[in-house]
Amino acid sequence: MTHAYKGGCACRAIRYEIAAEPVESNDCQCRQCQQQSGTGHSSYLSFVGAPVTVEGEATTWDVVGEGGTVKRCAFCPTCGSPVYLTFPDIPDLFIVRAGSLDEPGRYKPEMVFWHSVAQPWDHLPPGIRKHEKLPPR
């Protein structure tokens, strides 16, 4: 790894630093991500077992995914920016939203999930792997 992934919310009240490389980078076009992002998809970097430092207090709310997994969505109570996700049943998993990165150009989408409910106006990079729902694990 060349340098840590750093980022946070728009007003800088919440900051994070992750000293590892993501295990996966993906877009998700599910309805939950459409509603949370206010557009056609959300973009994520997933880190497993990585050293993570978070400064500031996020407000969270839980949502249950298609497979029954509880996702804890963290956002800034001041500016409202969605910043990261954690999973009560998968404590080693920490997911950041690509737009929250200090260097968002480091995000390189590898695949898209939930393409089956994509909006026709939400265009993807050419050649990206598309999964109709979640990919097989």
Side-chain angles (χ1 to χ4, degrees):
M1 187 182 89
T2 55
H3 61 284
Y5 284 78
K6 297 179 184 181
C9 66
C11 73
R12 301 186 65 83
I14 297 172
R15 299 290 302 153
Y16 62 78
E17 182 172 326
I18 306 159
E21 290 294 324
V23 296
E24 184 175 276
S25 297
N26 68 279
D27 290 342
C28 183
Q29 294 180 313
C30 79
R31 283 297 296 146
Q32 286 177 350
C33 285
Q34 290 173 24
Q35 291 170 327
Q36 289 178 26
S37 69
T39 190
H41 68 273
S42 290
S43 299
Y44 300 105
L45 294 90
S46 300
F47 298 87
V48 176
V52 177
T53 303
V54 177
E55 295 176 2
E57 292 296 321
T59 298
T60 63
W61 63 285
D62 292 351
V63 62
V64 179
E66 174 83 11
T69 303
V70 175
K71 298 181 273 186
R72 184 154 293 149
C73 305
F75 64 96
C76 178
T78 302
C79 67
S81 299
V83 184
Y84 61 88
L85 298 123
T86 58
F87 298 77
D89 295 332
I90 314 169
D92 285 347
L93 181 58
F94 189 81
I95 297 178
V96 299
R97 292 177 177 270
S100 72
L101 290 169
D102 288 349
E103 299 174 77
R106 293 181 76 185
Y107 173 70
K108 306 284 188 249
E110 301 165 335
M111 66 187 94
V112 64
F113 303 157
W114 287 100
H115 187 61
S116 60
V117 293
Q119 299 304 314
W121 44 261
D122 186 30
H123 303 286
L124 300 169
I128 193 168
R129 286 182 290 161
K130 298 175 183 126
H131 298 279
E132 292 302 302
K133 293 188 177 187
L134 288 175
R137 299 279 178 191

